[in-house]
Amino acid sequence: MGVMDGILEGAKVAFSFHGILFVLMGVFLGTIIGMLPGLGPITAIGVMIPISYGMDANMALVMMAGIYYGAIFGGSTSSILLNAPGVAGTVATAFDGYPMAQQGKAGKALAIAAVSSFIGGTVGVILLMLFAPLLATVAISFGPPEYFALMLLALTAIASLSEGSTIKALISGTLGFMVAMIGIDGQTGTSRFTFGSASLLSGIDFLVIALGIFALAEVFKLIITRNDIDSGPNKNIGSIRITKSELKEMSGPASRQSVLGFLIGVLPGAGATIASFIAYITEKKIAKKPEEFGKGSIKGLTAPETANNAATSGAFVPLLSLGIPGSGTTAVLLGALMVMGIQPGPMLFTEKPDLFWGVIISMYIGNIFLLVLNLPLIPYISKLLNIPRPMLISLVTIFCLIGVYGISFNTFDLYLLLAFGIIGYLLRLVSFPAAPFILAFILGEMIEQSVRKSMTISNGSFMIFLERPITLAFLIITVLSLALPPLLGMRKKIKSIE
Amino acid sequence: MKRSLLFLGLSFALILAACNESSGDASSADGDWMPTKNIEIVAPSGAGGGWDTTARMAAKVLEEEGLIDQGIGVVNKTGGGGAVGWAYIATKKESPYNLFVTSTPMIDVPLNGQSDYDYTDFTPIANVIADYGAFAVKADSKWQTLNDLFDDMKKDPTSVTVIGSSSPGSMDHLKFAKFAKEAGVDITKIKYVSEQDGGELTALLNGSVDVFSTDVSEVVEQVRAGNIRVLAVTSEERLEGETISEFPTGVEQGINTTYINWRGFFGPKDLPEDALEFYEQKFKEMTETDAWKEIRANYGWGDFFMGHEEYQEFLKEQVESSKALLDELGIVR
C-alpha cells in the first residue's frame, strides 16, 4: 500500500463522524485539564487506559492525542491569568503573558497565545505528515553526548534570562542546579540530599517548584502589598483583537519557532518544556529590542506558545514511526496502544496506516477545534481577574494545593510547595530572577546524567564530546553565543575611542 | 454517542472511586470474610506505568467479572522507586482494604538501601504475571550469539557498554550481571548506563551503547523491523508467540541461568488469615477469566500464578540470589 492510500485510509478515520466526535472530546477535556494547574495529560490518559479498553483503537488514540495537545494549548491560560503554569510546557508562557495581563491586556494575551498555539500545532502537524518517516533517523541521532551539548547550549540562556544583573541570574541558576541534584542519582543509585526522607528519593517534581516559585510567590506578593491600590492584577481585560502590526510582530517568532519547536519535540527526552525555553531565548537573542522581553512582549509570548505546541506534534514522530516514547505523556500513550492490542513500533506505519495517518490527520481537525473553542471563551475566562482579590488569592492557593497533591498524593509535597513559595518571594524581594532557577532545574539533571553516561561510554575520555559532529557543532555554537556579544561590544568600544 | 457519555461518566466514577480512601475495619466471620466497603489498591508509581496498569486492569476485571462486589479504587503513590507507596501501606497494618501491586523492585530497592521496608513487612497474597528479560544488540552488530558477546567481555569487560532503564543494582543491571557471571565475565567491571528518560533504544540504535538489557515486550517490534537482534531471553524455555519464539534462551546457549520479573499483589503486614484466603482465591479466579487472559496477551505478560505459601518461598529465594549478586557487584548497602 502506497503512502497516498495510507493517507486516504487515515482521512477516512479522522473525518468519520466518530473521528470528529472523539477528537472534539479529547481537545475539550485536554483544554480543561491543561487549565487546571497540576492535573496534567499524563494522569488523565493513565486513568483512561482501563476505560478505553475495548474501544476502537483509532478512536481511543485520536482522543488521547487530543487530550495531550489540548492540555498544552489550554495550559497557557492559567500561566497568563494567574502566573500559575497549568502544565510544565507553559512555564515560559508566563514570562511575558502574565505581565501583559497585569497591564490590562489579558484578552489580547490569551488571543495571542491561542493563535500562536494554533500556528505551532498546525505547522507541527504539517511537518509531521511530510517528514515523520524521514525524521525517524533524526530522532535516533541523539545519544548522551549530543543531549549534553544541546542542554549546555540551552543553559547559556541563563545569562539572557537575567533582568539586569548577570551575577544574580547565575546565582539563581546555581540554586536551581542544586535543587535538581536532590534524589536518587541515576548512575549509581545513591540517594543525595534526601536527609533520610523517602519523599525526597525521587527528587522534587517540576510542578511543585513552578507553582511555588511563580504562583504562590505571586500570592504572597499580593497579600503583602494588599494595601497598595495600584499593584495586583489589573482587572481590565482589554480587547481580544489582534491588530495588523501585532500580527506582523508575531509572524517572525511564530514561523521560526514552529519549526525549531517541532525539531526539539522530535528528540526523545527533550519535549515541550525545553522547546518553549529554547524558543524564548533564541527570540530574545535575535530581537531588536530584547529589553522588552519579560515586560509583556508580544514576541516573548508568541515564541514559547508556538514552540510548545509544535513540540507536541514533534513528539509523535518517535512514537508513531519508531515506537519510542519521547516524553512521559507519549510513554503513557504507548501503554494505551498496547492495551488495545496494537504493538507500537517501526512497523506501525506500514501495518496500521489507518491508525498512523488517522491520528495525524485528526490533529489538524483538533487544532482547528481548539482555536474555535478557545477564542470565544476568552472574555469569559478572563473574567476570573474580576474576582475580588481576597477570593482570587484563595482560589489560586487552592489550585496550587490541589495541583501539587494530585501529582503524588503526598502531603509532604505541600510543605515543599509552601517552601518554594517563600523562596520565590524572597528571590523577588532581593530582585533575583526566578526564570534561571527554573531553567537550571529543568536542565540540571539531564546535563549531569548525560555527561556521566557519556563518560561511562567513553571510559572517562572527554574526547567523546569532540569526536561527534553534532556534539561538536552544538559546542561551537555555545562558545560563540557566549563569546560573541562581549567581543562585539569590545569592538564597538574600540571604534568609538578611535 | 451513548458510548461516549458512558465513557465520560465512567471516568468521573473512577476518579471519585480513587478519591475514596478506606482504612482498616475488618468484619470477619470465621473464614468467610467478605469486604464490606471499598477496596484500595495502591500503585506505588505514577499513572500509566507497569504497576499502575496492572492494578487498574486487575481492578477492572475483579469488578466487571463480578468477583468482588465492592468498588476497587486504584491510588497512585509515586516516589522512591516504590518506597513512598510502601511506607504508606506500612501504616495500614492488618487492614484488609489496602492492597498494593509490586514486582522485582520489592527485592532490589530495599537491598540497595533505598527503602526501610522489604517484603517481610507486608503480606504477599498472590503473584499473577511474569515478564522475562532480553539482551539485544544492533542488527549489524558483530555479536551473533550471547557467547560471542561474553567471549569479548571476558577479554575486556570495559569494551562493552550496557544500557537499561533501571538504576544500577536494579533489574536491568542485575539480570545482565547474572548471565555475565554465569558465563565467567568479571561483573564488577561491566559498564552499565542507566537511562531514565526513555532514550535506551535510541542510544542502542545510534551506536552510543552496545547492549540493551530490557523486557522481551520492548524488543519484539524492533526485531520485526530489522533494527535489532536479540541475543538471548532470560526464560528457562523459549517463549510462545510469533517473533518471540525465535529468540534463543541463555540456557540453550550453555549459560545455565534465568531471570524472571514477577508481578503480584500484596497486603499490609498481619493481614487477617480469612481476608488473605479471600483475596488469594479471588486473584486466582481473576487469572482464569478470559478478560484477564486477553489483557495479558495484549501486554505480552506471561502467566505466573503463585498462591501465598509458594509466593513467600519464592521471594525468599529471590532475595538470596539478588543479594549474592549485589554483594559481588559491591552494591549492597
Side-chain angles (χ1 to χ4, degrees):
Chain A
M1 191 190 273
V3 171
M4 265 332 278
D5 295 325
I7 293 177
L8 277 178
E9 284 288 307
K12 264 188 225 158
V13 171
F15 286 104
S16 68
F17 172 70
H18 275 110
I20 290 175
L21 186 74
F22 277 95
V23 77
L24 180 62
M25 245 166 34
V27 298
F28 181 71
L29 276 175
T31 308
I32 294 172
I33 286 161
M35 281 180 190
L36 300 172
L39 193 55
I42 297 188
T43 321
I45 296 172
V47 169
M48 278 184 180
I49 289 179
I51 306 165
S52 63
Y53 182 72
M55 246 172 91
D56 179 55
N58 292 335
M59 294 310 147
L61 191 66
V62 158
M63 186 178 68
M64 287 178 178
I67 294 177
Y68 181 28
Y69 56 80
I72 301 282
F73 203 111
S76 55
T77 307
S78 47
S79 284
I80 291 170
L81 294 180
L82 307 171
N83 208 21
V87 288
T90 60
V91 171
T93 309
F95 293 169
D96 279 284
Y98 187 64
M100 263 183 102
Q102 285 191 308
Q103 291 156 14
K105 293 188 281 191
K108 187 162 280 172
L110 289 173
I112 289 173
V115 173
S116 313
S117 297
F118 174 72
I119 295 172
T122 310
V123 174
V125 181
I126 294 173
L127 293 174
L128 175 63
M129 190 154 173
L130 294 177
F131 303 117
L134 264 177
L135 278 170
T137 48
V138 174
I140 61 160
S141 59
F142 271 51
E146 283 80 14
Y147 276 109
F148 166 68
L150 175 69
M151 299 296 148
L152 200 65
L153 178 60
L155 197 66
T156 59
I158 285 189
S160 62
L161 285 173
S162 67
E163 292 150 13
S165 160
T166 313
I167 298 283
K168 281 184 175 174
L170 287 175
I171 293 175
S172 172
T174 310
L175 288 174
F177 251 130
M178 288 164 69
V179 174
M181 295 302 115
I182 295 173
I184 295 177
D185 164 39
Q187 298 310 307
T188 58
T190 322
S191 38
R192 301 188 292 193
F193 313 112
T194 56
F195 306 101
S197 158
S199 304
L200 283 175
L201 279 178
S202 45
I204 298 174
D205 194 277
F206 172 79
L207 270 175
V208 175
I209 293 179
L211 288 176
I213 268 188
F214 290 101
L216 212 56
E218 184 69 19
V219 165
F220 290 151
K221 193 194 111 194
L222 289 178
I223 295 172
I224 289 165
T225 61
R226 65 189 173 278
N227 295 326
D228 279 336
I229 297 162
D230 292 333
S231 74
N234 195 316
K235 296 197 170 179
N236 217 329
I237 292 152
S239 151
I240 73 160
R241 284 263 308 273
I242 304 175
T243 65
K244 245 188 197 153
S245 68
E246 284 162 343
L247 263 181
K248 215 177 145 196
E249 213 175 318
M250 287 171 66
S251 63
S255 54
R256 282 187 291 273
Q257 299 312 329
S258 48
V259 178
L260 188 64
F262 176 79
L263 287 174
I264 294 172
V266 168
L267 301 173
T273 315
I274 288 171
S276 64
F277 271 96
I278 291 183
Y280 187 81
I281 296 149
T282 45
E283 284 306 320
K284 188 171 177 182
K285 277 235 161 101
I286 61 173
K288 285 200 187 89
K289 294 178 196 155
E291 66 277 3
E292 283 179 1
F293 277 63
K295 300 189 184 82
S297 153
I298 290 176
K299 283 192 159 84
L301 173 60
T302 310
E305 263 312 293
T306 316
N308 61 18
N309 284 277
T312 314
S313 312
F316 280 89
V317 170
L319 177 75
L320 293 177
S321 58
L322 292 168
I324 294 176
S327 65
T329 317
T330 43
V332 179
L333 275 176
L334 195 104
L337 279 176
M338 287 175 73
V339 75
M340 290 176 269
I342 288 168
Q343 289 302 323
M347 310 301 283
L348 198 66
F349 170 64
T350 39
E351 289 176 357
K352 295 258 177 217
D354 51 336
L355 181 95
F356 184 92
W357 294 110
V359 173
I360 294 178
I361 294 168
S362 81
M363 288 165 74
Y364 285 104
I365 310 173
N367 269 292
I368 295 169
F369 273 141
L370 280 169
L371 191 66
V372 174
L373 272 176
N374 277 270
L375 278 182
L377 281 178
I378 289 174
Y380 304 99
I381 291 175
S382 42
K383 286 239 167 66
L384 201 63
L385 295 180
N386 289 336
I387 299 173
R389 204 194 291 186
M391 275 177 68
L392 186 67
I393 288 173
S394 345
L395 204 69
V396 175
T397 313
I398 289 170
F399 268 148
C400 290
L401 291 175
I402 294 177
V404 165
Y405 189 68
I407 300 168
S408 58
F409 301 100
N410 190 345
T411 42
F412 181 81
D413 284 350
L414 300 179
Y415 297 116
L416 278 180
L417 172 73
L418 188 68
F420 280 105
I422 295 169
I423 292 173
Y425 181 72
L426 291 179
L427 282 177
R428 278 181 194 205
L429 217 54
V430 290
S431 57
F432 274 66
F437 182 99
I438 200 96
L439 180 67
F441 175 77
I442 297 171
L443 299 176
E445 203 196 343
M446 284 188 87
I447 288 190
E448 193 224 352
Q449 296 291 324
S450 55
V451 173
R452 292 177 54 197
K453 285 175 207 160
S454 310
M455 300 306 275
T456 307
I457 293 168
S458 72
N459 286 330
S461 160
F462 281 103
M463 288 306 287
I464 192 170
F465 298 116
L466 302 177
E467 289 162 356
R468 302 164 71 120
I470 302 176
T471 316
L472 189 63
F474 277 130
L475 289 179
I476 291 173
I477 300 171
T478 310
V479 171
L480 285 182
S481 77
L482 285 176
L484 266 188
L487 282 180
L488 289 177
M490 258 165 68
R491 218 179 90 186
K492 249 187 206 163
K493 255 188 206 160
I494 293 168
K495 267 196 181 159
S496 65
I497 292 168
E498 280 168 357
Chain B
M1 189 67 219
K2 249 184 193 163
R3 194 158 161 212
S4 49
L5 280 176
L6 183 75
F7 179 88
L8 266 178
L10 270 174
S11 47
F12 283 120
L14 216 95
I15 292 165
L16 285 177
C19 298
N20 201 341
E21 284 244 3
S22 46
S23 58
D25 159 46
S27 66
S28 55
D30 287 277
D32 240 13
W33 186 84
M34 292 277 275
T36 52
K37 57 181 191 178
N38 286 349
I39 297 158
E40 174 186 273
I41 301 184
V42 170
S45 64
W51 283 339
D52 180 68
T53 358
T54 313
R56 288 182 197 278
M57 286 305 167
K60 184 184 163 84
V61 173
L62 287 171
E63 280 190 288
E64 286 183 3
E65 301 285 315
L67 294 172
I68 292 182
D69 285 337
Q70 295 294 330
I72 303 175
V74 173
V75 177
N76 297 96
K77 297 269 178 201
T78 318
V84 172
W86 301 330
Y88 166 79
I89 291 287
T91 66
K92 301 283 176 192
K93 256 189 186 175
E94 295 175 30
S95 159
Y97 295 99
N98 298 84
L99 311 184
F100 68 103
V101 59
T102 191
S103 63
T104 320
M106 183 83 253
I107 306 284
D108 304 335
V109 173
L111 284 177
N112 280 313
Q114 287 152 7
S115 167
D116 295 338
Y117 302 98
D118 61 24
Y119 84 96
T120 58
D121 293 302
F122 308 102
T123 311
I125 298 171
N127 193 68
V128 290
I129 49 177
D131 274 337
Y132 294 93
F135 308 126
V137 294
K138 242 177 117 174
D140 58 6
S141 154
K142 60 178 172 174
W143 301 303
Q144 299 295 332
T145 68
L146 195 57
N147 282 313
D148 289 351
L149 170 68
F150 286 151
D151 284 344
D152 277 0
M153 289 185 78
K154 273 187 248 176
K155 281 178 212 134
D156 181 9
T158 60
S159 62
V160 173
T161 309
V162 184
I163 199 165
S165 55
S166 46
S167 64
S170 276
M171 194 162 64
D172 292 341
H173 185 203
L174 276 190
K175 65 189 170 207
F176 187 78
K178 196 175 180 193
F179 277 67
K181 188 187 164 197
E182 187 68 27
V185 175
D186 179 359
I187 57 170
T188 58
K189 294 208 173 73
I190 291 178
K191 294 197 301 178
Y192 175 76
V193 171
S194 162
E195 170 64 66
Q196 282 148 16
D197 303 313
E200 310 92 301
L201 205 51
T202 319
L204 181 74
L205 293 178
N206 67 31
S208 298
V209 298
D210 308 299
V211 183
F212 181 21
S213 171
T214 183
D215 295 338
V216 171
S217 52
E218 298 272 315
V219 296
V220 180
E221 287 302 301
Q222 303 297 333
V223 170
R224 288 184 60 215
N227 288 338
I228 62 174
R229 172 163 60 236
V230 170
L231 295 183
V233 289
T234 66
S235 55
E236 180 90 47
E237 281 160 13
R238 286 207 181 201
L239 299 166
E240 282 169 28
E242 223 169 303
T243 316
I244 293 191
S245 59
E246 292 162 22
F247 302 158
T249 64
V251 178
E252 68 185 75
Q253 299 178 64
I255 296 161
N256 210 0
T257 188
T258 57
Y259 189 94
I260 186 167
N261 179 21
W262 49 271
R263 204 178 293 167
F265 292 88
F266 280 39
K269 201 182 174 88
D270 301 327
L271 182 69
E273 194 70 24
D274 41 6
L276 172 64
E277 273 166 30
F278 171 82
Y279 284 121
E280 192 180 354
Q281 181 58 31
K282 293 299 171 186
F283 279 118
K284 185 164 178 44
E285 285 169 25
M286 177 191 84
T287 57
E288 285 158 4
T289 60
D290 290 337
W292 180 257
K293 284 177 187 160
E294 194 187 329
I295 291 167
R296 256 197 326 102
N298 284 347
Y299 274 110
W301 295 336
D303 185 24
F304 189 40
F305 182 85
M306 281 186 289
H308 169 71
E309 296 282 324
E310 195 188 345
Y311 205 1
Q312 258 186 330
E313 279 304 306
F314 172 81
L315 290 166
K316 214 171 135 191
E317 283 163 25
Q318 292 290 307
V319 171
E320 292 304 317
S321 139
S322 290
K323 194 165 177 305
L325 267 178
L326 287 167
D327 269 331
E328 191 166 342
L329 288 167
I331 296 187
V332 167
R333 280 174 263 261

